[in-house]
Amino acid sequence: METLSYRVSRFARFNHCYYYNNNNITPSLSFRRLFVKPQQQIHLRRRHVSTFLRRTYFSRRFSVAATSNSPDINASSIIGGGGGGGGGGGIPEETYDVIVVGGGHAGCEAALASARLGAKTLLLTLNIDRIAWQPCNPAVGGPAKSQLVHEVDALGGEIGKIADMCYLQKRILNSSKGPAVRALRAQTDKREYAMLMKNIVESTANLSIREAMVTDILIGKNDNVEGVSTFFGMNFYAPSVILTTGTFMSGKIWVGKTSMPAGRAGESASHGLTENLQRLGFETDRLKTGTPARIDIRTVDFSGLEPQHGDEEVGWFSFDPDFHIEREQMCCYLTRTTKATHQLIKENLHETPTYGGWVESKGPRYCPSIEDKIVRFADKESHQIFLEPEGRSVPELYVQGFSTGLPERLQLPLLRTLPGLENCSMLRPAYAVEYDYLPAHQCARSLMTKIIEGLFFSGQINGTTGYEEAAAQGIISGVNAARHSGGKSLIVLERESSYIGTLIDDVVTKDLREPYRVLTSRSEHRLLLRSDNADSRLTPLGREIGLIDDRRWKLYEDKQTRIAEEKKRLKSVRVSGGDLAAEVTRVSGQPVKDSSTLEAILKKPHVIYKLFDKHGFGNEKLTRAEKECVEIDIKYEGFINRQQSQLQQMVHQQHRPLPEDLDYYAMTTLSHESREKLSKGGIVWTVSELNKLTEFINGHAKRPKCVNSKLVKVRPQTIGQASRVGGVSPADITALLIILESNRRKAKQIKKHQVLTSMMVDADQCTSDTPIIETARP
C-alpha cells in the first residue's frame, strides 16, 4: 500500500511512498445582566444565517441504515428486519465501504470525511442522542488546540464551523505574545453544538446511522478487516473500519470509593470489544480522566468575582465567512481556592480513587484534578478556578480546574470553600472515568493498524485527550479509510506540515502511557504552523483529496490573491513624514526615514496594520484576518525564512530511511537506553513462544498474541522517527548518522571493489581466450 504524505515543501517521492434539551430553563434578567457583556453590540448577518439553515435544516436528507437509500438493501429486507446476522432466510448482508464505530468528535469527522469522498459509510454509536456530545468542558480551542481546529477546517472538516455557530464567548489567548503561540478559545453551548453536528451528520449523503454496541471485529483470512459484529448479533461488512470508542471501552466511573460501569455519567460502557482486540493480538492498557461538578448559576454570588469578558473583535475558527455570525457573548468569572479548600482535600486524600489506591491508571498531566494540584504544587497557596456557563438556556455552570475524585458527600462542602460559591447548589457531582485504550504505536501514521489491514484507530482509543485532538485524528482516518476502500494510496501529514502531523507522529512513535495533549512546545516548527496560515498549508491538500468544493476553493484562491497583492503594494508605497511617520516614531521608538516603504514601517516594533487603517494607508478590501496574515508575513519574515531554511536542512535528514537489518545493540557509541528503545527488545523469543509461532505458521493455531505484541512495536523507519523515540538523545542521533554514513561508504567501497574484481576477472578471461601467435625467428 502506497502512502501519500503532504509536506510544506509540496510533493516529493521517496522510496515508493508518496510523502505528500432536556430542561429548557429561561435565565432570569439578573442572570442575563451577569453574563452578557455590557453595551455589547450584536451584528447578526441574516444572509449567513439563512444560508446555513438552508444547507442544514431545510435540506435534510435522512440516511438511516437498512433503508432504501442503501443500494445493498431492498424493501423486502426492511420488512424482514434488515440484513446482517448469518444471512439466513434470504436476508442480504449489510455492506458498506467504511464503518465508523463511535459518534464522538473523532467519529463525526471521520464519518463525514468518508461520506463526502463518496464512500458508503455507516456510523455506529451507542446513543444517537449523544452524537458530538461535550461531556467535559464545552469549549473548543486553546493553545495548540486552536491550530488543530483551524487545520481540520482547512481540510474540509466541521468542528470549527460548529464552534463558530454556537459560541457563548470567544477570546484570543496569549495575544501579547508572538503569533506562533496565540490561540483562539471558544466557550460553546453544549446542547446547541451537539444538535448542529447531529443535524449535519444526519443530512449528509452516503452516510447512514445506526444505534449499536460493537463487540467484535470481523477478520479475513489475510489479516484484513471484513466488518464488525454487534452485541445483538448483527454483522455489518466493510473493508475499512474506524474505531473511535472514546472513554466507553470497558469504561468505569468513580466517585470516591464507589464505581459503576459507564462511559460517562448516565451512559453505559461498551463491553466485549477490548477482549476481542486482545485476542487479535493488540496491546491494551487503562487511562483515567475526570470532570468537575456542575453548579447552579442562580446560587452563585458574582459580586466579588473577577469577570472574564469575551473579545470585542471576535475571532473565527473557520476560513468560510458564511459561518462568521456574531452573537451575544456571555461572561465567565474567576475565583480561587482557599486555605480551607486545601485543608479539606489534604484531610481526605485517602478517599479519592487515585490516592486511595483503587485506580492506578494515569490521568492527564496538563489537566490534573484539584487534589493532584494540591499535592504536586504544595508550595502554591491558591489555584485559579474559572466559572463557565454551559449554555444560554440552562443554569449549569462548569467549574473549570476543579475536577475531583472525592466522595459526593464531600464535594459540596469543598465547592463552598471557594469565594462566591459559599451558598451554591450542586447539580451534578464530579467523577473520574477509567477506560481502555490501545497504545498508538500499534498504528502507522495513516492511523491504520499495523496488525490488521483496513482497521483504523482515532481519538481517545489512541491515548489522546481533547475534542480537538480527536477531531484531527478523525478527519485523517476518515479520509484514509475511504481511500483504502477505493484502493487508493493513504494520506500522511508530516509533522513539519501541520499540528495534525505532529500529533499523529508523536502518538504513533512514542510509547505514551498517559493521556496525550497537543502543545505548541511539541512542534519544532511552530512559527510556520500558525493558525492564520492553516488554509495556505492544507487547503490545497483538501482540494486534491476531494473535501474542498468549488465555492470554498474560490474563496481560498481569492484570499491568497488579495494577500499577495497587498504585500506587493506595501513594498511599493512610500511615506515621507506626516502623521503616520510621527506616530510610528512614537510607538516604535525608532525614526522613520524619508521615503520609507510601508513594508519597512510595518517591520518596526509595536507597529501594527491598524495604524495604516487609522491614517488612511490601509486596504479596505481586506478582512481583519487577511490583514493579520499580511502583518505576520512581513513583520516576521526574517524569522520565518530562517526556520524554513532550517526545516529544509532537517527534512533532508529527517526522512532518511533506516535499514531494517540495523543491529542497534552492536552500536557501542549509542547509549544503552537508546539501543534498547530503538531495538524494542530485539524480538527475543521464549521456547513457549516459538512453539506457538510454529503452530501458527503451520496453520494449526490462531496468530499467537506474542507475535503481535512483539512485532507491532516496529522499530523506527526514519531518522526523524528515531529522534522522537523517548530516551533517544540528539547525541545518539548524531552517532547514528555517523554510523549510517560509515556503512554507506563501506557499502560503496565494497560495491566498487566488486566491480573492479569483476572487471579484472573479465579481463583475465579475455586474455586467456585470445590465441597466442608465435612468429618464426629469422
Side-chain angles (χ1 to χ4, degrees), residues 109 140-157 159-161 163 171-175 177-186 316-319 467-473 475-476 493 495-503 516-539 552 628 632 643:
E109 295 289 353
V140 173
K145 290 173 174 283
S146 66
Q147 282 88 332
L148 287 178
V149 179
H150 285 290
E151 290 176 355
V152 171
D153 182 81
L155 287 170
I159 184 173
K161 300 183 182 71
R171 298 182 70 186
I172 297 290
L173 308 181
N174 301 325
S175 57
K177 299 182 179 180
V181 296
R182 295 174 195 159
L184 175 62
R185 183 185 183 274
W316 307 102
F317 289 112
S318 178
F319 294 98
Y467 312 136
E468 302 85 357
E469 288 87 344
Q473 296 171 72
I475 193 170
I476 297 301
L493 293 181
R495 66 184 295 119
E496 64 266 20
S497 74
S498 59
Y499 271 90
I500 299 178
T502 302
L503 160 68
Y516 176 96
R517 184 206 191 279
V518 70
L519 303 167
T520 53
S521 60
R522 297 191 190 275
S523 174
E524 309 91 320
H525 322 289
R526 52 186 172 271
L527 186 56
L528 302 178
L529 309 182
R530 309 181 309 272
S531 293
D532 65 279
N533 70 354
D535 57 341
S536 63
R537 292 184 281 112
L538 294 177
T539 297
R552 181 71 180 270
E628 181 186 14
I632 292 173
Q643 191 160 106

Side-chain angles (χ1 to χ4, degrees), residues 616-629:
F617 289 91
N619 188 339
E620 295 180 353
K621 296 180 180 179
L622 298 182
T623 65
R624 181 162 53 90
E626 291 165 355
K627 293 175 182 178
E628 181 186 14
C629 289

Side-chain angles (χ1 to χ4, degrees), residues 363-552:
R365 179 185 299 268
Y366 301 100
C367 187
S369 65
I370 187 61
E371 51 263 27
D372 280 342
K373 292 179 184 179
I374 303 303
V375 172
R376 287 163 52 185
F377 308 103
D379 57 318
K380 286 195 173 244
E381 295 182 356
S382 181
H383 296 274
Q384 289 184 334
I385 305 296
F386 291 90
L387 306 180
E388 301 172 329
E390 289 207 335
R392 296 183 183 274
S393 59
V394 293
E396 292 184 56
L397 196 64
Y398 182 90
V399 189
Q400 185 194 350
F402 211 65
S403 64
T404 181
L406 284 170
E408 186 172 355
R409 60 181 172 80
L410 294 175
Q411 291 188 24
L412 185 57
L414 185 66
L415 286 165
R416 289 181 173 176
T417 64
L418 302 178
L421 275 64
E422 294 88 349
N423 299 304
C424 73
S425 294
M426 184 171 70
L427 300 177
R428 303 174 193 263
Y431 64 87
V433 57
E434 189 183 18
Y435 56 95
D436 288 339
Y437 82 105
L438 286 80
H441 59 67
Q442 300 170 103
C443 291
R445 288 186 296 162
S446 63
L447 294 181
M448 184 163 74
T449 63
K450 298 171 183 176
I451 295 178
I452 306 298
E453 182 182 349
L455 181 61
F456 297 80
F457 295 160
S458 280
Q460 286 181 282
I461 192 174
N462 281 337
T464 62
T465 179
Y467 312 136
E468 302 85 357
E469 288 87 344
Q473 296 171 72
I475 193 170
I476 297 301
S477 62
V479 167
N480 282 334
R483 294 176 70 89
H484 175 265
S485 296
K488 298 179 181 179
S489 55
L490 305 187
I491 300 295
V492 169
L493 293 181
E494 298 295 345
R495 66 184 295 119
E496 64 266 20
S497 74
S498 59
Y499 271 90
I500 299 178
T502 302
L503 160 68
I504 295 175
D505 189 71
D506 277 351
V507 298
V508 305
T509 304
K510 298 178 179 179
D511 192 11
L512 301 170
R513 298 294 165 170
E514 62 182 44
Y516 176 96
R517 184 206 191 279
V518 70
L519 303 167
T520 53
S521 60
R522 297 191 190 275
S523 174
E524 309 91 320
H525 322 289
R526 52 186 172 271
L527 186 56
L528 302 178
L529 309 182
R530 309 181 309 272
S531 293
D532 65 279
N533 70 354
D535 57 341
S536 63
R537 292 184 281 112
L538 294 177
T539 297
L541 175 60
R543 175 67 171 180
E544 186 163 336
I545 293 171
L547 292 178
I548 300 297
D549 59 20
D550 293 340
R551 184 192 67 87
R552 181 71 180 270

Side-chain angles (χ1 to χ4, degrees), residues 573-582 592-597 601 617:
V573 176
R574 297 181 178 273
V575 175
S576 296
D579 294 340
L580 175 62
V592 178
K593 297 179 180 178
D594 288 341
S595 299
S596 291
T597 64
I601 292 175
F617 289 91

Side-chain angles (χ1 to χ4, degrees), residues 676-689:
E676 179 182 349
K677 292 292 182 66
L678 292 172
S679 298
K680 291 296 181 183
I683 309 181
V684 180
W685 302 94
T686 65
V687 174
S688 174
E689 289 172 341

